[in-house]
Amino acid sequence: MKATLDIADTLFFEAKEIVKRDMVTMRALVERGLRLALAEHKQKPKRFKLADKSVGGKGLSEHAQSQGGFAALRDLANER
């Protein structure tokens, strides 16, 4: 398949030097770079997603609400 790429001049000239020095084609160099980039992309770990373990309910009990609500429970849980 043929494709036209618009790349930075500095990148192109650097690639031309490698093509000349290593006696490879521009096509081979670009394909190798693309393969490496795709392999790197596949190796990235999947983003962690926390499972939804919520339960049904109607919020805090009356007792918990009378003790100061969620803020008071949070403060109590964070005490050392």
Side-chain angles (χ1 to χ4, degrees):
M1 171 183 262
K2 291 189 180 231
T4 301
L5 301 174
D6 185 19
I7 60 175
D9 289 345
T10 54
L11 187 60
F12 178 75
F13 292 124
E14 198 172 334
K16 278 184 74 167
E17 288 177 16
I18 293 171
V19 164
K20 187 176 180 179
R21 183 191 70 208
D22 295 352
M23 296 175 53
V24 296
T25 63
M26 183 65 80
R27 174 184 174 164
L29 184 64
V30 170
E31 285 182 354
R32 180 168 185 246
L34 188 54
R35 281 189 188 95
L36 289 170
L38 292 172
E40 179 184 302
H41 180 72
K42 288 178 185 175
Q43 291 177 356
K44 287 186 179 178
K46 301 274 184 191
R47 186 174 178 159
F48 177 77
K49 184 175 180 184
L50 185 63
D52 183 1
K53 297 293 183 179
S54 60
V55 295
K58 297 181 181 178
L60 294 176
S61 67
E62 288 182 31
H63 176 72
Q65 289 178 14
S66 70
Q67 300 301 313
F70 176 77
L73 290 174
R74 183 192 60 226
D75 293 343
L76 188 62
N78 289 327
E79 282 183 3
R80 291 187 180 195

